[in-house]
Amino acid sequence: MEDINWWNYNIDQICNRLEAGWDMPPFIAENRNGNFKLNDGNHRLGALQKLKRRKYYLIIWDDYSYENIINQLKNCGVNLK
């Protein structure tokens, strides 16, 4: 587990970069057993939450099929139209 002071320092640094126009890379998540697991981007997500930004790019993978991702997105209420 990461020290809270170190976490907050990292979040603040990312917030500063975002506010300065940083083109942040997308998040990476895995669809595993019907759940999305964020594999890359926890600090970036924390920064976006702190800045109250609700949308960003996400790459999702599933080891078995593209259809699993689509079905899980639908189960989460995402409108894919």
Side-chain angles (χ1 to χ4, degrees):
M1 181 178 229
E2 188 170 6
D3 175 74
I4 189 69
N5 293 323
W6 182 244
W7 171 267
N8 288 328
Y9 173 80
N10 284 322
I11 298 303
D12 289 341
Q13 293 300 308
I14 294 170
C15 286
N16 292 337
R17 292 173 70 187
L18 286 167
E19 290 175 327
W22 179 42
D23 186 21
M24 185 174 78
F27 299 112
I28 300 175
E30 177 184 8
N31 180 37
R32 182 185 296 174
N33 301 323
N35 293 298
F36 292 122
K37 178 180 180 253
L38 187 62
N39 289 83
D40 182 52
N42 289 312
H43 290 98
R44 290 175 279 141
L45 178 59
L48 289 178
Q49 290 171 329
K50 183 173 182 176
L51 294 171
K52 298 186 184 340
R53 297 189 187 175
R54 297 181 44 93
K55 296 181 181 180
Y56 205 73
Y57 299 100
L58 170 67
I59 296 170
I60 304 171
W61 94 82
D62 184 293
D63 286 338
Y64 300 102
S65 75
Y66 172 77
E67 288 79 17
N68 286 346
I69 295 170
I70 298 301
N71 290 334
Q72 183 58 20
L73 288 169
K74 288 178 182 176
N75 289 340
C76 291
V78 175
N79 183 352
L80 299 174
K81 293 183 180 188

